Amino acid sequence: MVHEPNNWGRFGPDDQRGTLNLLTPDVVLAALRTAATGEVLSLAMPIRGATSSPAPTTVPHLRGRPLPQHFMSVDGGDYAAGARPIGDGLCVADDALVVTPHGTTTHMDALCHMWSGDQVYNGHPAARVRSYGATRCGIEQVGGVVARGVLFDVPRRLGLDHLPADFRIPPEVLEDIATPRPGDVAVIRTGWPLVWERSKEDYWSGQPGLSADAGRWLAAHDVSVVACDNAAIGGLNARGLADESLADDLHLLLLHRHGIHLIEMLWLEDLGAAGRTEFVFVAAPLRIEGGTGSPITPLAIL
């Protein structure tokens, strides 16, 4: 059950998109006017998959999560070994990629990803989340996201390279940086991916993130998406878990109660270095029917 004011029923009893409904054509057109130079930055981590090399372990990820696997069913070695080209000398390489997005790569969480009790967002029965996929609030409901992005570069504001592992961002710090408009994508930089380059053990020692009050502040400003460069939007302890109660859990607060989609494990260093607080944010998940999430490559158009 929900514990506080929420968006259940706000967009109709059958709604499965939450605050993405705020991205009306007028809001999208206003967001597009945010671009000034036309420079495009990728905000995604690379997906490195292999079955016989340590490549997947070289990208930030949470412990215990299945890492990406990349298979080549046909490659150059096959032709060198005598495989027949297709047609008159035509060769092709064919691959398959297996990615479990949560905790392993840049991804978007669907509204069916987490819940409490027996209902997902908007009162849809949790029993509709089945082994073959969720028949309510799956990632395919998202479509595309085009919005004004607002960068909350918290460590830069505090004079740090990255936030400490136990830092929980209060709403006052966000408010000091910018005030989001309805439909905006709030992009939160903690700088934590930089720690991976120094030490995997330090990266896994915990993670900084939003406080519950900061999540409520963003929800009160009607953001459409909350995106962060950490692995869980909120902070994590050394066991890779959140310390908050169910009432303060960021996933339940944002996904479950307010219908705000989450994007995690962004690469925000280039965007932070650009010094832009607002920009055009573009992202689209794979259309995985009933998916609890999807890998994405978000773009910032400056």
Side-chain angles (χ1 to χ4, degrees), residues 35-46:
T37 68
E39 181 182 3
V40 180
L41 299 178
S42 172
L43 308 182
M45 297 279 192

Side-chain angles (χ1 to χ4, degrees), residues 9-24:
R10 177 182 177 184
F11 303 107
D14 298 323
D15 176 54
Q16 302 180 59
R17 301 186 73 240
T19 51
L20 292 176
N21 286 290
L22 298 171
L23 295 176
T24 62

Side-chain angles (χ1 to χ4, degrees), residues 52-89:
S52 59
S53 83
T57 67
T58 64
V59 180
H61 62 271
L62 292 180
R63 275 175 164 161
R65 304 296 177 97
L67 294 174
Q69 299 178 60
H70 189 187
F71 304 91
M72 299 294 288
S73 59
V74 181
D75 59 35
D78 293 304
Y79 297 108
R84 292 182 179 181
I86 300 172
D88 187 15

Side-chain angles (χ1 to χ4, degrees), residues 119-207:
Q119 295 174 310
V120 298
Y121 164 73
N122 208 33
H124 293 291
R128 301 302 296 269
V129 182
R130 308 288 180 82
S131 59
Y132 52 79
T135 60
R136 294 292 184 275
C137 297
I139 197 67
E140 79 278 9
Q141 301 295 331
V142 170
V145 178
V146 179
R148 186 177 82 128
V150 179
L151 176 63
F152 294 88
D153 195 337
V154 179
R156 189 177 301 273
R157 178 52 60 100
L158 299 179
L160 302 170
D161 291 330
H162 62 79
L163 299 179
D166 60 354
F167 192 90
R168 303 296 179 259
I169 302 168
E172 295 79 14
V173 173
L174 299 182
E175 190 172 14
D176 188 46
I177 297 173
T179 300
R181 300 195 295 248
D184 283 351
V185 174
V187 179
I188 317 296
R189 177 177 174 264
T190 69
W192 199 245
L194 296 175
V195 176
W196 178 268
E197 300 174 3
R198 182 182 73 217
S199 166
K200 294 181 181 179
E201 294 304 319
D202 286 350
Y203 182 87
W204 288 324
S205 68
Q207 291 198 14

